[in-house]
């Protein structure tokens, strides 16, 4: 029984650590996306949307958005699980 509890604690700890890492990675990706979009806007204001730089930035922006679209819902769903568990424990107290 004690070993099973330790396994559960290890699993939960790993889950929380992975969730925290995913949150940090998403935050970094959002920040990079903002920088890329700012650079694109600057080029657009200078009417340089046909340049190689703009095209590369556009592709990078699309890649970053794809990452955010894929992993943000997963992160949000798992954070909801944590909030639901916390709410259940708060009601028990």
């Amino acid at each position: 029984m004690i070993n099973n509890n330790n396994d559960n604690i290890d699993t939960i700890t790993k889950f929380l650590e992975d969730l925290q890492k995913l949150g940090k990675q998403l935050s970094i990706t959002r920040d990079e996306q903002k920088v890329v979009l700012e650079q694109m806007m600057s080029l657009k204001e200078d009417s340089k949307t046909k340049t190689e730089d703009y095209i590369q930035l556009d592709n990078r922006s699309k890649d970053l958005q794809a990452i955010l679209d894929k992993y943000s819902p997963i992160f949000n769903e798992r954070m909801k699980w944590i909030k639901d568990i916390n709410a259940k424990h708060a009601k028990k107290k």
Side-chain angles (χ1 to χ4, degrees), residues 4-52:
N4 191 23
N5 283 340
N6 286 340
D7 289 344
N8 288 340
I9 291 170
D10 290 344
T11 300
I12 292 167
T13 302
K14 175 91 168 91
F15 173 82
L16 292 173
E17 288 172 354
D18 289 346
L19 186 59
Q20 184 179 29
K21 287 177 189 176
L22 178 58
K24 286 180 183 179
Q25 290 170 338
L26 287 171
S27 179
I28 290 167
T29 302
R30 278 187 217 101
D31 291 344
E32 184 177 350
Q33 175 78 318
K34 287 177 190 175
V35 170
V36 168
L37 291 172
E38 287 170 0
Q39 291 172 337
M40 289 176 68
M41 288 299 295
S42 177
L43 288 172
K44 186 175 183 177
E45 288 171 358
D46 294 337
S47 299
K48 295 182 179 179
T49 58
K50 304 290 185 195
T51 64
E52 185 65 31

